[in-house]
Amino acid sequence: MSAITPSTEAIRARAVLLGRSRWGVAEIIFWVLAFACYWLFPTKLSLLSEIAILGLVALSVDLVLGYAGIVTLGQGAFFGIGAYAAGLAAKHGMGTSLWSDPVIGLFIGGGVAAVIGFATSFLVLRGSDMTRLMVTLGVALIVDEVVNQMKWLTGGSDGLQGVLPSAVLGIWEFDLFGRVAFVYSMVVLFVLFVIARALVKSPFGLSLQAIKGNMLRTRAIGMPVNARLVAVYTVAAFYAGVAGALAAQTTQFASPDYVAFHRSADAMLMLVFGGAGHLYGGLLGSIIFRTMQDVLGNITPQYWQFWLGVTLVALVLFVRGGILGLLGNMLAAWRRKGGAS
Amino acid sequence: MLTILLDGIAYGMLLFILAVGLCVTLGLMNFINLAHGTFAMAGGYLTITLMQKAGVPFLWCLPAAFIFAAVLGLVLERTLYRHLYDKTHLDQVLFSIGLVFISIAMVDYAYGANQQIVNLPDYLTGRFSFLGASIGVYRVFVIAICGLLVVSLQLVLTMTRFGSRLRAAVDDGRVARGMGIDVTRIFAVTFAVGSGLAGLGGALGTGIISFDPTFPLKYMIYFLIVISVGGTTTITGPFLAAILLGVADVAGKYYVPAVGGFIIYTIMVVVLIVRPQGLFARAAAK
């Protein structure tokens, strides 16, 4: 009988795993607010869809960096690959055929990025942080060069013109005010977020965190470390590729700027702003990052860069774990105080 | 042919002087300092300012740039960098990228985003022909100065007491400290000298590469290539790597401009994968 009925440990483990994946009130409020932005800021919709896209890139970095602990400066490459793949599909689909369907475009962008992510994932398995940093950066630079040189395909430094995706699911045409673009980006972000959430709360996600904690010991307890890292790197490349596809479709444009170094750096910065390893960190970070950029960049572009630099330095020196880390610390301190009195 | 080779060597030597400080911080102190280009930019812009505004002769600008960048490095090391030695690599990357952004914004604010050009003195601008090739005097000048620096660096590191202390501090900081070596001070001095050399390289570079505020980002990758290909355990490794990179870059831009930086980046990735400790380094002891 004991072989069929699960042991008490198994029941407890199951309860712990399920408890981890329950949705909290704060999370629900966050998403309701996010979708409510459609009515709250009707004039800022294109900025908001851009934030959603940036949030998706930051989410993909979070999977690699926050959960698996791989330092990467190359996520911009997958973003750019996704953008160009989806952009080319939409361009040559001429706005009518199946190829220019936005949702299929997402899978094209994400798929191509995932294939390249899978191929390059074997490069980041070896070496120290520094090696990984340089390899991911090197891959991003190579992609950048390829995009710039293959003028016949990508339009070179002029960018990819004439990206005309057809209506979403054949119903909603992209409009001038960015309404469809916003809802579309938000829905994609939400769906991918829910999947990522399930992924990191699953035993698979736990094993990633174990790898981040101590790779040697995780290997010693029989975890296929390399396979796990390849898997998460590929998934993250898919996410970044989808984000790139979204960007190309909503702006109807793709340029070498999409693969430039600052894309990779920005994505990592947003994640660190918000706090890595929480999934929400990247989303919060992208909101703050892009809003700051909008406000400060309107004064002068240098202002923005200066304060971004100052924020980064201050963040590293004084605040561990970004905004979510800060909030967590404050909450813990408040609870301690409340418990003592 | 010879012209390109010599141009490449001069460029490579310049890269080495620019990058050698990074070699020290990264290889010896295990600190990822992506802001190294900032010190080079400081030296470069100081030279530009001194020459254009104050009319200081070029040759005096070189030591001035060295001292300025070294002091800047020392101040930053004492106030900011030292807090980060024992933090994670990610923190170090973020911190130094932050510094890069600040420096870019400040230079952009003060000088504008335009490229700055320096009028070299007449005795350095000429060309002469040697074995049928036309050779710029300035290239020879750069090669001579950098060559001198390389030799003296190597001598300091291997022959002097300071050099042996530094190597001891790097091999095992704790034991070195236990033996009565002031590791903190040695690192601070080394950091300052490395920054100073970058500043000097920046000053020398004003005649070869054009300066604009994005310099630290643009050249960051070149520095990293020099370090990763050359390895960080010796000085000769990065030196050879820098020469190779310089010649390959100049020749590549001359013969196959369409390929651009593609070859260099590919070589870097391949070297990193196949020989993570560097192309010229002996297998790491650790």
Side-chain angles (χ1 to χ4, degrees), chain A residues 137-172:
Chain A
L137 180 64
V139 170
L141 286 167
I142 291 173
V143 171
D144 193 9
E145 282 293 326
V146 169
V147 164
N148 269 306
Q149 300 300 336
M150 288 169 74
K151 284 197 174 59
W152 53 273
L153 185 68
T154 61
S157 52
D158 295 334
L160 188 67
Q161 312 271 352
V163 177
L164 290 172
S166 55
V168 180
L169 297 175
I171 305 169
W172 296 287

Side-chain angles (χ1 to χ4, degrees), chain A residues 72-300:
Chain A
T72 170
L73 264 181
Q75 215 64 14
F78 303 123
F79 180 81
I81 290 169
Y84 273 99
L88 285 169
K91 186 182 179 184
H92 298 293
M94 301 297 169
T96 47
S97 78
L98 205 60
W99 287 106
S100 56
D101 184 82
V103 178
I104 291 179
L106 292 183
F107 282 101
I108 295 172
V112 174
V115 168
I116 297 183
F118 177 75
T120 55
S121 68
F122 297 96
L123 303 178
V124 300
L125 293 178
R126 292 183 52 171
S128 59
D129 282 351
M130 184 61 199
T131 316
R132 285 170 167 175
L133 197 77
M134 303 233 1
V135 169
T136 50
L137 180 64
V139 170
L141 286 167
I142 291 173
V143 171
D144 193 9
E145 282 293 326
V146 169
V147 164
N148 269 306
Q149 300 300 336
M150 288 169 74
K151 284 197 174 59
W152 53 273
L153 185 68
T154 61
S157 52
D158 295 334
L160 188 67
Q161 312 271 352
V163 177
L164 290 172
S166 55
V168 180
L169 297 175
I171 305 169
W172 296 287
E173 285 276 358
F174 285 104
D175 57 308
L176 265 179
F177 309 101
R179 288 198 200 107
V180 171
F182 172 72
V183 177
Y184 174 55
S185 309
M186 277 306 291
V187 169
V188 172
L189 175 65
F190 183 67
V191 169
L192 286 180
F193 179 86
V194 171
I195 297 172
R197 196 177 177 283
L199 197 69
V200 299
K201 305 278 180 187
S202 71
F204 174 80
L206 283 177
S207 73
L208 289 181
Q209 278 163 292
I211 292 169
K212 185 190 178 188
N214 191 327
M215 194 183 278
L216 208 62
R217 285 188 191 169
T218 317
R219 212 188 290 271
I221 60 169
M223 198 74 76
V225 169
N226 284 358
R228 295 285 153 102
L229 289 180
V230 166
V232 74
Y233 199 74
T234 309
V235 171
F238 177 83
Y239 270 55
V242 170
L246 268 181
Q249 290 168 355
T250 52
T251 59
Q252 310 196 336
F253 184 62
S255 74
D257 179 60
Y258 282 12
V259 278
F261 167 73
H262 76 94
R263 288 272 165 189
S264 309
D266 286 355
M268 195 165 87
L269 302 190
M270 282 180 255
L271 177 66
V272 174
F273 260 30
H278 303 279
L279 289 184
Y280 284 96
L283 304 187
L284 273 180
S286 68
I287 296 170
I288 296 163
F289 185 90
R290 195 62 187 82
T291 319
M292 248 177 88
Q293 189 179 30
D294 201 47
V295 174
L296 290 172
N298 275 345
I299 307 173
T300 48

Side-chain angles (χ1 to χ4, degrees), chain A residues 65 71-73 122-124 126-131 133-135 137-139 141-143 145-146 149 261-262 265-266 268-269 272 276 300-303 305-313 315-318 320, chain B residues 26 32 34 79-80 83-84 87-99 101-106 108-109 112-113 217 220-221 224-225 228 257-262 265-266 268-269 272-276:
Chain A
L65 177 67
V71 181
T72 170
L73 264 181
F122 297 96
L123 303 178
V124 300
R126 292 183 52 171
S128 59
D129 282 351
M130 184 61 199
T131 316
L133 197 77
M134 303 233 1
V135 169
L137 180 64
V139 170
L141 286 167
I142 291 173
V143 171
E145 282 293 326
V146 169
Q149 300 300 336
F261 167 73
H262 76 94
D266 286 355
M268 195 165 87
L269 302 190
V272 174
T300 48
Q302 294 107 335
Y303 260 55
Q305 204 165 32
F306 181 78
W307 287 113
L308 176 64
V310 171
T311 320
L312 268 178
V313 171
L315 209 63
V316 173
L317 287 179
F318 305 116
R320 302 304 312 276
Chain B
L26 183 71
I32 300 184
L34 297 185
T79 51
L80 295 174
H83 298 294
L84 286 147
K87 294 218 171 167
T88 60
H89 282 158
L90 178 64
D91 279 344
Q92 295 170 354
V93 167
L94 293 167
F95 168 79
S96 48
I97 288 186
L99 277 189
F101 283 160
I102 294 176
S103 69
I104 289 179
M106 278 166 62
D108 196 346
Y109 185 77
L217 269 187
M220 180 180 85
I221 185 67
L224 291 177
I225 294 174
S228 62
V259 181
F262 189 78
Y265 301 146
T266 315
M268 177 187 86
V269 171
L272 278 169
I273 296 305
V274 181
R275 284 185 69 99

